[in-house]
Amino acid sequence: MAEPRIPGRMNRLCCPICDEVLRNPTTITCGHKFCMQCIQDHFACDERANRLCSCPECGQKFPSRPQLIRNAPLVDSVRVWDTANTASEKRKHLEASKEAPKRARSCSETRTSSGSTLCVRHSSPLDIYCCTDEQIICAVCAQAEHSGHTIGSVREERRRKQEEARETQDYCGSVLAGVIDSLQRHYMSVRELIRGHEEEAAAQVESSLQTLQVKMEEMRKRDAELNRLTQTDSDVHFLQKCPSLQHLREKEPRHLVHEVSEDPLLPFKCIKRAVDQLGKQLEEFCDKEFASISQTGLSGVNTLTEQNVEPKTRAEFLEYACGLSLDPTTAHEDLVIHEGNKEVRMSPLQCKSQAIRHPERFIHRRQVLCREGLQAERCYYEIEVEGEKAEIALTYKGIDRKSRTALSAFGGNAKSWSLDRSTNYSVSHRADSIQLTTYPSQRRLGVYLKFKEGTLSFYEVSDSMTFLYKVEAKFTEPLYPGFWLGEKCCIRICDLKQDRL
C-alpha cells in the first residue's frame, strides 16, 4: 500500500533514512527522529562494520549504542496526519456524490445516453462555471444571463477548489506538526536540564561525602586529644590544657550541618512542579481550542455558542420573530391592503378605483413589498395564505417595478428569491425554478433568514415545523419580504407577539 502524500511543509514527519512517514517514531540522544526499525538497522550495520554508532542525520558518534526514546508527541502527529488523509478521501467521495445535486440547483440539467450532462433549456453541455454567481452553466446561459461575470471552465474550477482544500489540509497539518515539533524540542531541553541537575546533584553529594570524611577525621583526632587530657593524673597539667577545650568547641563544624542538610533533589522537585503546572495549562488550552476547531470544520475557526444551534421547534424559531407591515405605496393597483397593513387581497372589480401611480408601485405584476428591510443575523416570520396560487419572496429594494419582463417578477431575476405555492411548491431565482416533492398541506408558512450566513429556509407550520427548502446565497443588501397574489388569494402577516408569550 502506497504511503500518503507528504507535502514539503510536512517533511518533519518523514524518516531521514527511508523518506517515508515515520513508523513507530523514535528519538535518539542527539534529538533526531527516525523509524524504530530504520535506526536499529543502521546501528546494527555500524556495529557489524566495527564502527562507532552514529546519527545518520548529523553524524554524531556515540561510544555505545544510544538509548532509543519512543517519541510519543510525534506518534500523535503521525496519527493526526493519517486521520486527516482518511478524512480527505471521505470528503472527496462525499463531494463527488453531492456534485450532481449542486449542479441541479444552479442550472437545470439532463443526461444523454452517452452520459454527458446537458442544460435542459438549451441542450448545451454544462461545461462553464460562473465564478461571480457560483453556478454551473452552459455557453448559451453564459452569453444570455451572465454577461460581464467572471467565467471559467467546470474542470478548472474543480481543480482549483480541490487544490484549495488540499492546501488547507496541508497547512493545518503543518501547523499541528510544528506545534508538536516545538514540544519535542522543549521536551529534549527539559531532559538535558534534568540530566545537568542530576550530574550537579551527584557531584554535590560526592563533595559532601568527602567533606564529611575530612571533618570526621578531624573530630576523631580532637576526641583522642580530649580523652588523653581527661586521663592525666596531674592537676596542674589538666588546668594548663583546659583553655584548649573552649578552642575545640569553637572549631566545631556547625556550618557542616547546614551544608549537608541541603536537599540535592530540590532542583528536581522545582522542575517537576513547573512541568506539572505547564502540563495542566497546556491540556486545558488544547481541550478548549480543539473543541472550538472541531465545531467549525476545515473552512475556518469559530467558537460554538448556543446561538449557533439551529432551531427545531416552533418555539425556538419564535425567538427570532420580527415584526412586518405591508407598504401600500408598492402595491399593484389590483391589490388592497387591510387590517393595519397586515393583510393583502385582490380588490373586487366593483370596488376598484383609480389608483395613485406612486413611483414605488408595481405597475404590471400583482406584487407588494413590506416596509421593513431584513439584515439581522437571524429573522423569522410567518404568513397565512388563502387561495391556490401565491408567491412568498424576499428581494432587494432595487427590483424593477415597471417592466413587463422577468426583471419585475419575484424569482425571475438576480435580486429576488421566491417560494411559489400552487398545486405544488417550487423555488425560483434568476428565472430558474426547482420543483419540490412536497405538496401544500398547511395554510401557514414560515420564513427563516440567516442574513450574514447567507441562507433562506421555508417551512410549513403546524404543531411541528415541516422543512421545505433552503436557499444558499451571498446577500449584499437588506432583503424586503414581498408577495404575489393569484386570483381569489389573500395573504396575511401573522402577529407572533402573542405566540411568544
Side-chain angles (χ1 to χ4, degrees), residues 146-184:
H146 299 263
S147 177
H149 294 186
T150 302
I151 300 297
S153 70
V154 169
R155 182 179 298 275
E156 178 60 25
E157 182 64 19
R158 175 180 177 177
R159 185 203 63 77
R160 187 182 68 81
K161 289 187 180 295
Q162 285 181 331
E163 185 62 26
E164 285 181 358
R166 195 157 37 236
E167 288 179 357
T168 300
Q169 173 191 333
D170 292 348
Y171 174 76
C172 293
S174 66
V175 170
L176 290 174
V179 172
I180 294 173
D181 194 52
S182 176
L183 290 174
Q184 176 65 17

Side-chain angles (χ1 to χ4, degrees), residues 29 84 122 128 132 235 284 289 309-310 359 431 434 436 465 482 499:
T29 52
H122 306 112
I128 295 177
T132 303
D235 296 334
E284 291 174 359
E289 294 302 318
V309 178
E310 284 296 301
I434 299 173
L436 307 186
M465 305 292 291
D499 294 341

Side-chain angles (χ1 to χ4, degrees), residues 136-345:
I136 302 170
I137 55 178
C138 68
V140 181
C141 291
Q143 184 176 3
E145 303 173 9
H146 299 263
S147 177
H149 294 186
T150 302
I151 300 297
S153 70
V154 169
R155 182 179 298 275
E156 178 60 25
E157 182 64 19
R158 175 180 177 177
R159 185 203 63 77
R160 187 182 68 81
K161 289 187 180 295
Q162 285 181 331
E163 185 62 26
E164 285 181 358
R166 195 157 37 236
E167 288 179 357
T168 300
Q169 173 191 333
D170 292 348
Y171 174 76
C172 293
S174 66
V175 170
L176 290 174
V179 172
I180 294 173
D181 194 52
S182 176
L183 290 174
Q184 176 65 17
R185 290 196 304 270
H186 289 300
Y187 164 73
M188 297 302 296
S189 298
V190 172
R191 284 181 60 89
E192 291 298 323
L193 179 63
I194 293 175
R195 187 178 292 111
H197 282 302
E198 179 183 357
E199 295 173 355
E200 181 180 346
Q204 179 182 344
V205 171
E206 180 66 24
S207 175
S208 299
L209 288 175
Q210 293 177 357
T211 302
L212 280 173
Q213 291 175 351
V214 172
K215 299 300 181 181
M216 288 176 64
E217 183 63 27
E218 291 178 357
M219 292 179 68
R220 278 195 294 270
K221 292 179 179 179
R222 294 172 191 152
D223 183 66
E225 184 177 350
L226 287 172
N227 187 49
R228 287 195 299 273
L229 182 61
T230 56
Q231 292 181 1
T232 182
D233 294 333
S234 173
D235 296 334
V236 174
H237 178 70
F238 178 84
L239 292 175
Q240 288 176 342
K241 296 292 184 178
C242 188
S244 63
L245 292 175
Q246 182 66 30
H247 173 68
L248 291 175
R249 290 186 60 188
E250 292 176 355
K251 294 180 64 176
E252 184 179 349
R254 296 182 182 272
H255 64 280
L256 184 61
V257 177
H258 174 69
E259 291 179 358
V260 176
S261 64
E262 289 185 355
D263 187 0
L265 299 180
L266 183 59
F268 299 98
K269 295 177 181 178
C270 294
I271 293 175
K272 183 177 182 299
R273 283 196 299 269
V275 171
D276 285 342
Q277 184 178 4
L278 175 62
K280 291 178 182 178
Q281 292 175 349
L282 185 59
E283 184 176 358
E284 291 174 359
F285 175 80
C286 290
D287 288 345
K288 179 181 177 181
E289 294 302 318
F290 278 98
S292 173
I293 292 172
S294 65
Q295 297 296 328
T296 58
L298 297 172
S299 58
V301 177
N302 293 324
T303 303
L304 178 64
T305 64
E306 289 205 10
Q307 288 187 343
N308 289 336
V309 178
E310 284 296 301
K312 291 182 172 51
T313 65
R314 183 166 180 263
E316 291 173 345
F317 278 99
L318 291 177
E319 292 295 323
Y320 307 103
C322 59
L324 297 178
S325 60
L326 297 168
D327 184 357
T329 64
T330 66
H332 184 268
E333 61 183 6
D334 290 346
L335 303 179
V336 59
I337 309 297
H338 296 285
E339 303 292 335
N341 296 332
K342 295 291 186 180
E343 180 181 291
V344 58
R345 62 174 63 241

Side-chain angles (χ1 to χ4, degrees), residues 362-418:
F362 286 97
I363 303 301
H364 300 288
R365 296 190 179 274
R366 296 193 296 265
Q367 298 176 166
V368 61
L369 296 180
C370 290
R371 288 193 176 95
E372 296 78 12
L374 306 180
Q375 58 180 341
E377 187 168 345
R378 298 189 183 200
C379 300
Y380 177 74
Y381 60 94
E382 294 177 355
I383 56 100
E384 285 188 352
V385 180
E386 294 180 8
E388 294 183 356
K389 294 184 178 181
E391 294 178 6
I392 297 87
L394 283 100
T395 178
Y396 296 149
K397 193 172 186 178
I399 188 173
D400 194 295
R401 316 289 175 95
K402 300 175 175 59
S403 174
R404 294 180 181 272
T405 68
L407 292 177
S408 293
F410 291 150
N413 47 70
K415 296 182 178 181
S416 60
W417 295 260
S418 176

Side-chain angles (χ1 to χ4, degrees), residues 421-423 425 438-445 460-462 466 468:
R421 184 182 188 274
S422 57
T423 55
Y425 284 113
T438 305
Y439 295 94
S441 61
Q442 302 293 331
R443 292 175 50 193
R444 181 169 291 210
L445 298 172
E460 278 194 340
V461 181
S462 57
T466 302
L468 298 178

